Amino acid sequence: MVQFNDPDKLPPKGVRPPVIGPGHDMGTATDRIAGIVLSKHTPLFWFAIVFLAINIVGMLNTAIAWLFMRGTGIWGINIPVGWGFAIVNFVWWIGIGHAGTLISAILLLFKQSWRTSINRFAEAMTIFAVMQAGLFPLIHTGRPWLAAYWLFPLPLTMGVWPQFRSPLIWDVFAVSTYFTVSFLFWGIGLIPDFANLRDSAKSLVVRRIYGMLAMGWRGSARHWNRYETAYLLLAGLATPLVLSVHSVVSLDFAVSVVPGWHTTFFPPYFVAGAIFSGFAMVLILAIPFRSLYNMQDFITLRHLQNCGKLMLATGSIVAYAYVLEMFIGWYSQDKYELAMVHNRLHGPYSLYYYCLVFCNIISPQSLWFNKVRSTPWMLFLLSCIVQFGMWLERFVIVVMSLQRDYLPSAWGMYWFTKWDVMTLVGTMGLFTLLFFLFIRFMPAISIFEIRALLPQSKVKES
Amino acid sequence: MNCHAQMWTNADMLAPVRYSYRTGQSIKWTRVHDLPDFVYFNHSIHVAKGVGCFSCHGPVDEMPLMYAQNTLQMEWCLNCHRQPEKFLRPKEEVFNMTYQQPGREHGVPFEGRMYFNQDELGNALYKSYNVRTVQDITSCSTCHR
Amino acid sequence: MSKTSDSNPSLVPASAIKPARPEVEAVRKQLAEAKGPKFWRSLEELSGQHEAAFGELLEREFPRQHSEWLDPVSRRNFLKLAGASMALAGLAGCTKQPLEQILPYVRQPEDLVPGKPIFYATAMPFAGYGLPLLVETHEFRPTKVEGNPDHPCSKGATDLFAQASILGLYDPDRSIVLTYKGEPRPWGDFLGAMRGRVLYHKANQGAGLRFLSGAVSSPTLGSQMKAILQIFPQAKWHRWDPVHRDGARAGAKLAFGVQYDPQYKFEAADIVLSLDADFLSGAWFPGFVRYARDFMSRRQPGDGSKEMSRFYAAESSPTTTGAKADHRLVLRQSEVETVARALAAKVGVGGASTVPLPEAQQKWVDAVAADLMKHRGKSLVVPGEFQSATVNALAHAINDKLANVGQTVSYSEPIEIDAVEHAQSIRELADDLNAGKVETLILIGGNPLYNAPADANFQAGLQRLIDDAAKRDQQGGSLPAQRIVQLSLYDNDTTPFCHWHVPEAHYLESWSDVRAHDGTASIIQPMIAPLYDGKSAHEILAIFTDQPGMSGYDLLQSYWRSQHTGDDFPQWWRKSVHDGYIAGSVFPTRTVGLKLGALPGPKVADIAAGGGQLVEVMFRPDPTIYDGSFINNGWLQETPKPLTRTTWDNIAMISPATAARMGFFELEGETIAKSDLEKNVNKDHQSDAQKKIEINLGGRTVEAPAWTQPGHPDNAVTLFFGYGQKKTGRVGLDRSRSEDRPEPRGYDAYSVRPGAVGYVSAGTIRDTGKTYPIAVTQGHFTMDDREPVKVATLEEFLKNPRFAQVQAEKPGEKETLYPDFAEKGFYKRYAWGMAIDLNSCVGCQACSVACYAENNISVVGKEQVQRGREMGWIRIDAYYQGDPANPNIYFQPVPCMQCENAPCEPVCPVAATTHSTEGLNDMVYNRCVGTRYCSNNCPYKVRRFNFMLYADFETPSLKMMRNPDVSVRSRGVMEKCTYCVQRINAARITAEKQNRDIKEKEILTACQQVCPTGAIVFGDINDKNSRVSKLKYPVEPRDYSLLAELNTRPRTTYIAAVRNPNPELESAEKA
């Protein structure tokens, strides 16, 4: 089928692009993917990006060091706006993670074969994102050196326990569980590929290292059997997390009395938003990756299109939530809710709100067009817009609600400081750094699962 | 000086005391029973409600040099605040270092009655000294402000 | 639990002065390695045999980066921070207790039980009058000031200045060393030098010997003054208080021929008319504390016994007094006089020529006059002390005409001893200085160089004296050189112009006496030996009465021996000192005959003449730092000014219309409409960049940030005194722009104040185009649809006493997911509650400052306040309603509500804020990790967070000041009002030990105790007979909860405000 030699070219109507480029056999697939890791030659752009990322991480360290020296006062937070960037970033990052779990777990259970070539780095994305997210709840506290262990139910000489009624405690459990499961899931998935790298590695050192990581994987039938079971079990474990984690996070707000927080539809709204931004992030990572490393054969238009569709779906749910928020505000006829709506539309931060409406509601509508869904650069641009929009969404929820709550005399403003920005950008740098290290030293695409997709691995039943 | 104006007037042990008395400079004592500054402990109320010296300070009379018998950590405090009746004793026994809690063969008189187990005695004392409820004395502001 | 480990100055015997003169260089060297406590008491210590010493001097010479609580912009170095975080770790209790040493008393003072406070009676001299006090001392360190409950002029209440004076005592920036031309000198040298002056002036009858002091109401000081003037007949004693009462004094003279002080009986007045009198907020109004209480006793509509009084205010610059008025007529200061004349004519006072008034004013005058005449003998007209002699005289005349004298007002001898006209007196001194007639000038306190009238050339005068002195010093010769001596608490702008500077002893450090507004004399006894070896005015003056070295105590006693002859003197003395006042020393009432002389015409130029260019410039003392003497007081700087809620700066008030004319105030239509208020007064609090305007008074100009104040008269501007001092402590200076070259804070109103006119003049204002940031603690001044303050007129109230209960929806008792604490056995014994009467609250800020003192609250500095991080536990919200030109203004004190269903409690992840069995929301600082979730979830936003290390853990003198019963919160910790739980616990323990219940009034919260009007009542709501339960719904129908619809069930509730307007005027205003 000639038209697929150029993977970026649109297929004729009615024909869906394949999940894997034509003309690959076990050997080529393996070499192409393992090649990235095993090749002696590291591309220049890799060094460039990693160097940049390292510098940004340095900035992050400075920001955090200064924070620990001076206190949270270096940020823009105040009374009434007690939560600012830190919580916004936390919710944003944790949301980003969700797509990874969704792809690897839920799509696996639904036997979506196309997931295979993107699940590996999607999972990596999840883990790295959760790492960023996990940073914030800790450093945003006034006395992190205490929060670090008082938030966990450890027996202490004080004879008191954390308070389990507080959503922040639920967060601690939700996030730590999420991280653990995702990490195991990811790790187990990697074992066969590590073995693969071990076997095809030239240098002794490399072989040793991957050998250790492979944990003695021999690929025997029993191994495979156990592997499949474990993987499936973890998938089962991870699936509810996709829904639960961000639901719990949303409760941080929903449980409170603050107008604009105190709403029952937050959990689904947050989960949808999370997956929305998650897929945006997958695309932001996948599109450069496939072109930088010529992986168009393995991450094909099919994947991009599907991500696009998922974004459209979840984006619509988010849009619905925005409408609902306004509607309920009006429908309740509660003066505080009404004031909240009015503040969204006409308050000092209304510009942020309109901006977020454009990013999260209007711009994703372009995904109705196949052209957009199948044009990488458009998708990339759109994903960036959405990502920004989702950050704004959290800003609007956190800051705009707190800024004007009940007593007019107590209303105030919030302005972020350079330290807020440095911390946010810093985590982006850390994320990038981790991700590129991952690409270089681990198979970013699951080799053996790709193999399973190859035509020749299809078993014919007669 | 008090007593030591009369007895052991030139014991080496007491040299610092005499020096301090002469010069008017305070002796630097090391605080053995030391609570953190955010804990507000009132001695008098414990004495008034029948908590013996021994309960917190241990056998002081047998200590050649003072040491802390108990950790004075929060859980230790709570241990008593959560069940005061287990530790209360008649007021007149508060300073008695050899006081024994009532047992099967050893009774403790209180308000004209002999008690042979601590629970009964404790509850009686608890009522008659009207000690505040456990919820009261475990409220945070009892010790922290 | 309190430690006695501070070295306790009051236990060190006051050491005699040896004339040991330290080598300044050596001393400097010592300074460099100065360690340990930074306060010291004598030159021996100073020159440093032992460690204690001198850092403060060092600091004064080379100011270090001042500490966090003053100016967060400053960067603490890393070590300091590391140290601090150690402290935090310690506070957290997650480390082992560091080994601690204790220093017991060698001979313990018999009356001292460590950890138990002792209260001593004394009095605070302020604005020429005494405020009787009880001072709480811990191990002989004064830590808190309360009013003297037995004293008629206080009844236990105080004002914000008295509360803040504690910080003044321990202020690390106080002047700490006696200097001659800036060099440290021992007291002996000074005595010697002065001796020379005395002998010299004895020879010349005291020609050229001048004294300058404020108003004198201390009997002992008065007698010393008289004695000195006898010894030196040629000597002159000048008087200068920048906030003087010349108008009132002259007014009384004008009315009665001789001067009398009025004594008002507000409790007897059905109708009160204020002619620009600020008797409800101005702590400088003699008897403010007493008067506020009396006045409010007649503002209770529920109380059947007395009918609610009606209060009219004809006011120029808006004050909280005007805010409490039922009808407020907005006038320029000069117009108050014309209105007073018209009013006088109406009630039939002869000799008051009148000019036709604008219709609105005329209507007002007619109505008020009618009302006054309806209540002959039961009405009261109070003249403003910043008003002209005419207004004061007319007020007396009207009271006389209405037969109020003897009923609602009586007269007594003047409290001030041989009162003079201050403006006159300072002018004479300045002229003599410039004429070179002065040879020895003794400045008793004060800061004349800074606050003398702008047109008096005082600085030039001092300069001339100094130059002459320098000349003579060079020539040598027989004539000794001229000298200027300053006795003052601080090194201020005047100090560089003085040869000798003697550190003054704070009133809490020295023996003296003073008279309260009704003449009752109080003995001022020291609470602590002078921290820095300061001297009192008595001790300085003793030098001139040939009693050098005589202690203040002896001087005081010798005077009173002459007053109270008899063998029982020792007992009498003991009693007087113990009680805090001298029984029967109140001035007798004088029967006065009105001889209203010819009234002088208005002094101030009619601004109409200026063809719309001129505006009236009014001068007022700053609401929180007064005449500038409190410029270095962090509490007073940070506590918001009542009406504007501004902090750390003085502003220039203009009216909305004037602002609109200058383009600072947006109008929808042509003229000011109600709708314009909303848009203009509601800014968001950190963002208050104000336009700077230039005020020009006859060539002298000053630039000041304009503040549009609803209710301010048009074509007028109010300037506030006290700011713009160049030489003062770290609080009073602004380091936001440069660490090393600090600038004055605010603008200096004195620099344009002409001497003759006192408080009002005419000038021009123009927009400079510059802006200036003002730190405001409240951004939104309208209530919107929230109605946090519920109001009704007396009529409406009588129709429906339950008017405050009306609200959207009242959730049912059981409609909650919160645990039912009552079921869990809470609230059984005590249930603490509070009721705040919005009718009585005058927004004077005393409660707010008292809370700072009682609860060791940190000061955060202007920059942090701009970011919305002020720490005050009780804030007083101000709300404006109606016409911007003359709005209704309401005050609402908001402490923690201590909700029964507290939203803050369930959200704390570490259970740092929990519910006590008595219904308090306990806040456990040492458990708090600072997630700030509780604050987010608090609908009242009464929680405060230590965003940085605001508390000062280093300055030794401030350590001495702290209340040992309250933790000092460090960085990253949430804090809030706890109903003064330390006081509750203390009272409970006492009661428990005696096996009884806590009695009514045994616990007073700090805010309740200080409140002059008794607006705050705290107590046990389980006890149905307690005052607080009687103030709760349904017993008190006006009682309502803030945001009741949230079902938080606050223990702090409010008693709705009731106004008592005059129906006629009301209808007129409506139309």
Side-chain angles (χ1 to χ4, degrees), chain A residues 134-146:
Chain A
L135 187 66
F136 286 103
L138 183 61
I139 64 169
H140 103 287
T141 61
R143 305 201 289 175
W145 53 90
L146 296 176

Side-chain angles (χ1 to χ4, degrees), chain A residues 69 75 78 82 149 252 336, chain C residues 81 94 686 869 932-933 1045:
Chain A
M69 280 169 65
W75 293 341
N78 58 25
Y149 68 105
D252 291 350
Y336 304 112
Chain C
L81 264 155
C94 65
Q686 300 92 329
R869 296 172 180 175
R932 301 179 298 282
Y933 199 171
E1045 57 269 44

